[in-house]
Amino acid sequence: MPVLAVLFAVLGAASNATGTAFQRKAAAKLGHGGGLRFVLTLARDSAWLIGIAGLAGAALFQALALSFGALALVQPVFVLELPFALLIASPLMHRRVPRAGWAGVAAVVGGLVLFLGSAAPTGGTVNAPMSRWVPVLVGCLGLMGAAVLAAQHWRAPLFRAGALGSAAAVGNALTAALMKSATGTFADHGPAAFFSVWQTYGFALAGIAAVLLLENALQAGPLAISQPALTIGDAGVSLLLGVVLFDETVRTGWWVLPALLGLAVVIGGVLTLVRAVPHIQEVVSSGKK
């Protein structure tokens, strides 16, 4: 398991969580809304700008992580974003982390170590043929579009937050896959080749779409709903894309049992954090002054 890939992925998760916490603080100051006008309004808020800086740092760390390790290894590490979000939001909102929060953090971290240690994603290539990219693009964009349409049809805040958070998760996973391919081209052939491949522009567009979806998910409903959908969905879809696109491999046989156990522990930790995060959410929402 490449140490540098995991290290940069952890830094990326922390940076992304910082961005999300500050973005949620900014979004809570506004009433109902969505779309590009909503984002333009947020752009005048310093907390939102700090959040964007956090996302930019996360993108940099993510690119570095993907250049050192498999997509199926790097992206699941971003499930740590949820524990980081709780730990960062607590001092930001002048609250102590509840006991359930610490238990959830321990479960997510321990479960992730067990899962990745058992599955041990490795190998692969950065050059996937178009015969693989086409169905992946159709599938990912189709899922994102369906989630957005569903969120527009069913207006319940919990459903909208979950649907838009899931759409953002698919967008993040697709962005990571495109970024891995583009950065691989950069490493192998230099800047000129990097700017000549469609994946470079693809990950930029997919990343923008994912950010817009995230902004609307954060504004649509509780962080306790959108954040788990984002983190778990991103990890799961990325694991699938790594195997399908880049021929990455995971251990099978009896290793599947501890991997599934680790996954169950992660899910349990996330559910525990979901119960802890609303305490932070209340403070975020009350910071509308």
Side-chain angles (χ1 to χ4, degrees), residues 113-208:
V113 170
L114 178 59
F115 172 75
L116 290 179
S118 301
T122 56
T125 177
V126 295
N127 298 314
M130 283 304 299
S131 60
R132 296 185 184 183
W133 274 114
V134 170
V136 163
L137 291 172
V138 171
C140 288
L141 295 177
L143 287 173
M144 292 166 67
V148 171
L149 290 176
Q152 291 179 342
H153 183 71
W154 288 283
R155 307 292 295 182
L158 293 180
F159 181 86
R160 281 175 51 80
L164 293 173
S166 298
V170 176
N172 281 343
L174 179 59
T175 300
L178 291 165
M179 181 186 294
K180 181 173 181 61
S181 182
T183 53
T185 299
F186 180 88
D188 292 339
H189 304 291
F194 174 78
F195 288 107
S196 68
V197 295
W198 67 271
Q199 288 91 338
T200 299
Y201 307 97
F203 86 70
L205 292 174
I208 292 172

Side-chain angles (χ1 to χ4, degrees), residues 82-99:
L82 184 56
F84 277 128
L86 177 62
L87 297 175
I88 292 168
S90 295
L92 180 64
M93 302 304 162
H94 308 291
R95 283 289 186 93
R96 297 177 61 183
V97 178
R99 288 185 178 180

Side-chain angles (χ1 to χ4, degrees), residues 243-268:
V243 173
V244 170
L245 275 175
F246 303 121
D247 286 327
E248 296 172 357
T249 60
V250 295
R251 284 174 176 168
T252 55
W254 72 269
W255 286 103
V256 172
L257 295 177
L260 289 176
L261 176 61
L263 180 61
V265 173
V266 169
I267 293 173

